[in-house]
Amino acid sequence: MTEAVKLMVEYCFKTFDITRIFARPFGTNKSSQRVLEKAGFTLEGCFEKTLFKHNEYIDEIIYAKRKTDL
């Protein structure tokens, strides 16, 4: 999965006029967070108890990668 994310990020930066790509995994989804970290994304923030899923509030995590990071 990490390799797929890396390839997609590279493609998007080359193809589109963008400078930042971000992802917002649930705080409970440690696997997705790890994939983003291994793909070079930086943790930008954590918003506690902002998302409601399955009758409970969970954290929202924000990761991003900038074109200048390549």
Side-chain angles (χ1 to χ4, degrees), residues 6-17:
K6 286 180 179 180
L7 290 172
M8 193 67 203
V9 166
E10 183 179 333
Y11 171 81
C12 289
F13 281 140
K14 285 182 180 179
T15 306
F16 304 108
D17 186 25

